[in-house]
Amino acid sequence: MSQLRPISLCNTLYKVISKILIARLRPCMANLVSPNQVSFVPGRQIVDKIVVAQEMLHKFKNSKGSKGFIAWKIDLSKAYDRLNWDFIREVLWEVGIRGRILELLMQWINSVCYKVQTFLWLLCHKKLLTNAQRLKRKLTNVADCPRCVCPLESCAHLFKDCTVTLAIWNRLGFGRGEAGQLMDDYDDWLLHNLNSRRFVVHGLPWYLVFAIFLLFIWKWRCKVVFDQKFLLPADPHLMIYQYAFEWFSACNPMAILPERSVVLLHWMAPLPGVCKVNTDGSRINSSGLIGAGAELWGIFWGLSMAWDAGFRTVEIECDATSAVALLKSPIVSTHPQYYQLLQLKIHEDWCCSVKHIFREQNCAADALAVKCYDFAPGLHVFLETLAFLSDVLAADVGGAVRPRLVSVQFLFGLGLLPSSVP
């Protein structure tokens, strides 16, 4: 029963499109999926892995000599439910799936709206099996709330009045009166929030955050009932915002704008007493080598050296939008370097600003990133100007400008174009 989950009610059009996509991908799967993966690929059987495992253990048992062997058995619990949508998009792009079919696949994958819609339908029609509903259907003799001392766990109590729910609500950053929490009628409270047209952090619509808040309250309540070892996350409000942000980003991809404008860009020197950290990363397509996490590692070591040198005002510039978004986001990230950067007190004890720039404003860091494969892994400190950097640094110091074609909407967002530009 711990694995019991309601099935999403997908409509016919959704099922037809998914069948078409599957039919088009099926002939390509054998070439796209590694031979080591035997599940869910036509012509391959999962029992093949059983034979391989038996042969491997037989080899271990009969091997002689001082050389040892070790085998790891890894169980990826619900691995297909834990993949990041951005990662899936990048993998599909790398294997050559692009254009309209890529957009259809991503809409198919991230269509959690059916899950949320099904849940909201049950909630609004008071069909969720709370203990009050189970008592009404004579499925239990106990109607009290499993999370507090309330004698009757109704939908109104669970989502609006329970002390545990209120604690999570308050951590979302809204007072009891701001989103209708003081309304006496439960149905009016639901409609007030689900019909809201205001926006909150990251430009997220409040009705989306509210709907996902309700979904997580129900999910965590069921966890408490069916899993005695379950503990509420330390930051439940951040999980709600993260889920809402990923869903909203996946369902509202940035449209490709045909209107573009040429701008002249150049590196700008910092003011006296200010330290500027420019970082970049690179990749060699032919070999597949990647300067792994180069932008974030560059920021990490740059901040460390700036702090040790006595600077307390630092400007971070990077042409990787993902790295800039990671550092600016109020939502806690699971990225392994996120907490390392927080430990450098990006937001405390000193003034650190993070800014996205284009590559034309980051040429020195870009040139270093291209040459990083010539050096051993690790931190390298150069006390003299490298030969291949002389011309680039001289151009930056001289204020040399470089042209770039950029979408007008993006320029408006950065404030690089006046409002009179169409």
Side-chain angles (χ1 to χ4, degrees), residues 167-220:
I168 299 174
W169 175 274
N170 292 332
R171 298 191 69 179
L172 286 175
F174 302 97
R176 289 179 58 85
E178 188 171 353
Q181 190 72 5
L182 295 178
M183 289 183 173
D184 293 331
D185 187 79
Y186 169 72
D187 294 332
D188 291 342
W189 175 74
L190 275 181
L191 292 175
H192 173 79
N193 287 281
L194 291 175
N195 291 328
S196 174
R197 290 297 178 263
R198 66 191 183 96
F199 296 87
V200 291
V201 61
H202 269 306
L204 296 173
W206 169 246
Y207 68 84
L208 173 63
V209 177
F210 179 72
I212 292 177
F213 161 78
L214 298 174
L215 178 64
F216 269 89
I217 292 298
W218 175 250
K219 177 181 178 181
W220 288 329

Side-chain angles (χ1 to χ4, degrees), residues 19 182 199 219 268 301 311 378-379 395 407 411:
K19 286 290 186 181
L182 295 178
F199 296 87
K219 177 181 178 181
M268 299 182 64
W301 289 114
F311 288 100
L379 174 65
S407 70
L411 292 175

Side-chain angles (χ1 to χ4, degrees), residues 35-74:
N36 298 327
Q37 173 66 42
V38 296
S39 302
F40 312 112
V41 179
R44 304 181 189 179
Q45 301 293 330
I46 196 171
V47 294
D48 296 342
K49 282 299 181 182
I50 300 175
V51 176
V52 173
Q54 290 176 337
E55 291 293 332
M56 182 176 62
L57 294 177
H58 177 74
K59 171 68 175 177
F60 287 2
K61 182 178 180 180
N62 294 283
S63 295
K64 298 180 181 179
S66 59
K67 186 176 181 180
F69 297 91
I70 184 173
W72 287 357
K73 180 182 180 298
I74 302 175

Side-chain angles (χ1 to χ4, degrees), residues 8 15 31 58 96 100 102 106 125 129 189 216 222-223 233 237 249-250 255 257 269 320-321 363 377 388 395 415:
S8 297
K15 294 178 181 179
N31 297 325
H58 177 74
R100 181 58 178 165
L102 175 60
M106 290 309 302
H125 287 81
L129 282 180
W189 175 74
F216 269 89
C222 294
K223 280 282 190 179
H237 61 299
S249 300
L257 299 177
T321 54
C363 291
F388 65 88

Side-chain angles (χ1 to χ4, degrees), residues 202 245 277-280 293-297 299 315-331 333 335 338 341-342 346-347 352-359 361-362 410 414:
H202 269 306
F245 178 72
V277 178
N278 288 80
T279 69
D280 197 9
E295 291 89 353
L296 293 178
W297 276 117
I299 293 172
E315 297 177 355
I316 301 171
E317 292 186 344
C318 180
D319 57 23
T321 54
S322 57
V324 174
L326 177 71
L327 296 177
K328 284 188 171 184
S329 174
I331 301 175
S333 173
H335 193 284
Y338 182 82
L341 292 169
L342 284 186
I346 289 181
H347 303 294
C352 278
S353 61
V354 184
K355 178 183 178 183
H356 173 269
I357 59 174
F358 294 108
R359 181 166 297 178
Q361 300 168 283
N362 205 34
F410 194 79
L414 295 178

Side-chain angles (χ1 to χ4, degrees), residues 94 282-291 369-370 372-374:
E94 287 293 331
S282 64
R283 170 182 175 178
I284 300 178
N285 291 329
S286 59
S287 63
L289 292 176
I290 300 176
V370 173
C372 72
Y373 310 102
D374 297 338

